[in-house]
Amino acid sequence: MELSRVSGHGPSEWWIEPHGEMRVPVVVYATESLVREMDEKVLEQACNVASLPGIVKAAYAMPDAHWGYGFPIGGVAAFDEEEGVISAGGVGFDISCGVRLLETPLTREQLEPLKELLANALYHAVPVGVGSRGRLHLDEAGLDAMLAGGARWAVERGFGTAADLPRIEEGGCMAGARPEYVSMRARQRQADEMGTLGSGNHYLEVQHVVHVEDAALAEAYGLREGQVVVSIHCGSRGLGHQIGTEYLREMAVEAAKHGIHLPDRELACAPIRSRVGQEYLGAMRAGINCALANRQIITHLVREVFERVTGVRELRLLFDVSHNTCKEEEHEVDGRRRRLFVHRKGATRAFGPGHPDLPAELRAVGQPVLIGGSMGTASYVLAGTRESEARAFSSSAHGAGRCKSRHEALREWRGRELVESLRRQGILIRSPSLRGVAEEAPGAYKDVVEVVDAAEEAGLSHKVARLEPLACIKG
Amino acid sequence: MLGDSVQRTTHHSAPEGGTRWGHLRHGSDIGVWGRGRTKEEAFEQAGVALCAVVTEPERVAPREAVEVRCEAPDEELLFADWLNALIYEMSARRMLFSRFQVRLEGNRLEGRAWGEPVEVARHEPAVEVKAATLTELEVRREPDGQWRAQCVVDV
C-alpha cells in the first residue's frame, strides 16, 4: 500500500485517523517495508472494523496482517461488553486454530539417524489431509463432553497428562461453552475428525532450536540450542468451520434488525447482549474446546510415536496458543479496568510478565508466543511483554502470511521437486498430496524474520529462540 | 465489484465457447466463480470451480448423487448457501463432486451433486475447503447477458 495512506507514530507503528463511519483509529504495527507490501485491502478491512459499534481504542493490524474476509487476518479488535458486538467473521471459520510446541530431551545429532523412521511413523500415526478420519468416533454424549471439556476432557480420556493443562490457554478448558448451541450438522462433520490434522497450512513438524536470542527466557522456557522440539498447527476441524458458517449467515441476515450497518457482509456481527450474540459465544467457546481437545489428542499420538521410535516419551508441552478467538478479558483503558470482548483473527494472545492468568511457572517471564513457519521456513518462540497490553490488548503476530496465491505457487513449483530439494537440505516432507505441497511451498510465504522483528520493535513480543524444520507432516 | 487485487487466474471453456468457471486470486485463500446463460448454470459451474480447488474435476467420477436444498433471503446468500451445502456434504460424507444440477424457484434452491468418495491416491486432494465466505460475493448479469456467481472460499 502507499505509505501516504498512514501516518508514522513511532517505531513500527502507523495510524489512520478516524474518518467517515470510523469510530476509532486504525493502528498498524509493521516495519515500513511490511506496510509497503501489505495489500490495500488490509486497510480497507481494518477501517471497516473500526466502524463497528462499541469498538474500544482502535482496530489493530499485526505485522503479518493480510487481506482476509471481513476482518483482516492478523486483526485485533476489542468491544465493550454493554454496547459492543461479537462478530463470527471477526473470529473466522477455523475457530481456535492454533499452535503448540512440545520440547524433547533429544539433540539434533541424537535424532538424525532416526529421523526417517520418525517421519514415517508420525505420518502413519496422525491422520492428515482431505477425507482422513480419526481413530476415535464420538457419539452425541461424547461430543457434548468434548465440547464442554476441551483438552481437560482429552486428558481424562487418557490423551496426555494433567501437567499439560496449565500450559494451554484457559487451562485447557474454555469456560462458558454451550454445546447445545452447536448444530447437528457441525456435530456430523466432527464425529470422525478428532485427532486429525487437516490440510492447507496445517502441519505437524519436528524442528530443532538453531539459535537462542534471549538466554534467560530460553532457560525459563526449557529451550536450548540443538534441542529437538515438535510443533503442531491445526484447529477445530469441520465442527468449527460449520459453527462459523452458520452463525456468520445468521448474523449477516439479522444485522439490520439490530440497527447495525455492515460495510461488508462478512463483518457479520450481533450485539454481545443479543440472543444470537450469546448463542454464538456459547457455540464458539465449544469450538475452542474442540480445537484444544484435537491438539491434545495429536500430542498423545506424537508422544506414542516418539517413545516407539526414540525411546523418549517425556515431551513437555511448552505452551498452546490459539489464533482465531473472541475472549472476554480485562484490560486497562484510559486508566480504568474494563471487561472487553477481544477478537483475535490470525493473531496470538500474548500476556506479559505478571499476568494473573498465566501458570505460576511462567508468570514471572510472560507467555510463550509461537510464530509458525513450515517446511523450509523458520518458526520463532517469543515472549509476551508488559507493553503489549497497552499496544494491542496483549496481542502479537501469528505467522508469516502468504505472499503468493495458491495458483502462483502451482505455476512456480512442482511438489516432487520441492520434496526432493528440501530432502537435500535435510528436511523430510510427508504428505498425501504433492499438489498440496506445491501450494504450500516455503517461497509462497513472506519472510517470517521480518514479521518477528517488527513484533519485537513494536513491543508486541520479545524474541526468545529460532526453530528450523527437520521433518514436516503436511495435510 | 471485483477489487484490483482479484484476478481471474484460471478459466475453463465450454465446447460452444465462452468461459464457464474459474478461480479468483485472493491473498491467502481462493475464490470461485461460475458463468452461464442462466443463474442456475452459473451456480452449477461454480460447483465445478469448487471441486477444482481440491482436485481436477475430471478425476472425480460422477457415480453417486446427493441432493441438497437451500433457502435464503436473497440470491447472493442463496449462492453462498449452495456452496456451503456442497462443502458440508464433502466434509460429512468424505466425498468429492464434479457434476451439478440446480433448480431455482425464487430464493429456493434444489440441487443435485454427483461424485464419489475421496480416494487419496487417485484424487490427490490438495486442500479441504472450510467454508464459502461472503467476501466478493456476487450474483449478477454481465454485459454479454450471461449470469455470473462468485465468492471467496476459506481453505
Side-chain angles (χ1 to χ4, degrees), chain A residues 155-343:
Chain A
V155 168
E156 282 162 11
R157 301 270 311 226
F159 300 106
T161 70
D164 296 330
L165 297 174
R167 298 299 186 119
I168 304 172
E169 288 184 22
E170 320 301 333
C173 176
M174 184 74 219
R178 302 286 298 270
E180 66 270 32
Y181 294 135
V182 176
S183 72
M184 280 311 295
R185 287 166 88 84
R187 288 157 182 265
Q188 275 157 8
R189 277 178 82 165
Q190 195 60 31
D192 292 308
E193 290 214 333
M194 294 310 295
T196 62
L197 195 68
S199 64
N201 62 2
H202 293 163
Y203 58 81
L204 159 60
E205 190 162 279
V206 182
Q207 305 162 328
H208 62 131
V209 180
V210 289
H211 184 60
V212 163
E213 308 261 354
D214 184 311
L217 277 172
E219 200 187 331
Y221 285 173
L223 295 169
R224 58 187 189 282
E225 280 177 15
Q227 180 185 12
V228 171
V229 295
V230 180
S231 280
I232 300 167
H233 176 213
C234 62
S236 49
R237 312 293 299 113
L239 181 127
H241 310 161
Q242 191 69 23
I243 292 172
T245 300
E246 291 169 5
Y247 281 95
L248 184 101
R249 183 187 189 281
E250 190 174 349
M251 287 178 175
V253 172
E254 287 203 0
K257 224 161 61 185
H258 297 296
I260 299 170
H261 165 67
L262 296 176
D264 170 353
R265 287 221 265 191
E266 188 69 20
L267 280 171
C269 59
I272 293 165
R273 297 283 174 227
S274 66
R275 178 197 57 81
V276 61
Q278 287 297 306
E279 289 183 7
Y280 173 67
L281 258 177
M284 185 263 303
R285 287 166 175 162
I288 291 177
N289 280 333
C290 179
L292 300 182
N294 199 44
R295 291 197 285 274
Q296 188 65 27
I297 293 172
I298 293 175
T299 298
H300 174 76
L301 300 175
V302 169
R303 283 174 174 153
E304 282 188 335
V305 168
F306 262 79
E307 184 174 30
R308 213 168 58 237
V309 175
T310 71
V312 166
R313 192 180 165 85
E314 291 301 309
L315 269 63
R316 189 180 73 143
L317 176 56
L318 170 62
F319 210 70
D320 178 303
V321 298
S322 291
H323 296 150
N324 295 350
T325 58
C326 175
K327 291 192 173 176
E328 193 177 349
E329 295 170 7
E330 200 172 282
H331 289 281
E332 192 166 303
V333 183
D334 303 327
R336 191 159 66 90
R337 301 297 294 177
R338 286 173 70 176
R339 304 277 326 157
L340 301 173
F341 285 78
V342 185
H343 293 67

Side-chain angles (χ1 to χ4, degrees), chain A residues 39 41 45 66-70 73 93-94 129-134 184-186 188-189 192-193 198-202 237-238 241-242 245 248-249 252-253 264-266 268 402-408 411 432-436 439 475, chain B residues 1 3-6 9-10 23-30 52-56 71-74 76-77 81 84-85 87-89 91-94 96 118 120 124-137 152-155:
Chain A
D39 198 296
K41 289 270 180 185
Q45 292 187 324
H66 50 279
W67 179 24
Y69 11 93
I73 294 163
F93 295 98
D94 201 353
V130 178
S132 62
R133 287 172 198 268
M184 280 311 295
R185 287 166 88 84
Q188 275 157 8
R189 277 178 82 165
D192 292 308
E193 290 214 333
S199 64
N201 62 2
H202 293 163
R237 312 293 299 113
H241 310 161
Q242 191 69 23
T245 300
L248 184 101
R249 183 187 189 281
V253 172
D264 170 353
R265 287 221 265 191
E266 188 69 20
R402 294 188 80 94
C403 61
K404 285 193 161 76
S405 72
R406 293 180 175 275
H407 275 292
E408 286 171 309
R411 273 202 299 272
S433 170
L434 286 169
R435 176 177 152 190
E439 290 187 7
Chain B
M1 289 299 292
D4 291 340
S5 338
V6 180
T9 53
T10 56
H23 293 153
L24 313 166
R25 191 178 76 86
H26 175 272
S28 58
D29 293 288
I30 202 164
V53 173
V54 185
T55 187
E56 291 155 32
E71 193 171 349
D74 59 68
E76 291 187 338
L77 277 180
D81 283 357
N84 275 320
I87 290 164
Y88 168 80
E89 299 296 343
S91 165
R93 295 175 191 267
R94 288 170 171 74
L96 296 169
V118 176
V120 172
E124 287 191 280
V127 72
E128 77 194 327
V129 185
K130 294 173 185 166
T133 79
L134 310 184
T135 292
E136 306 292 338
L137 171 61
V152 167
V153 297
D154 186 14
V155 296

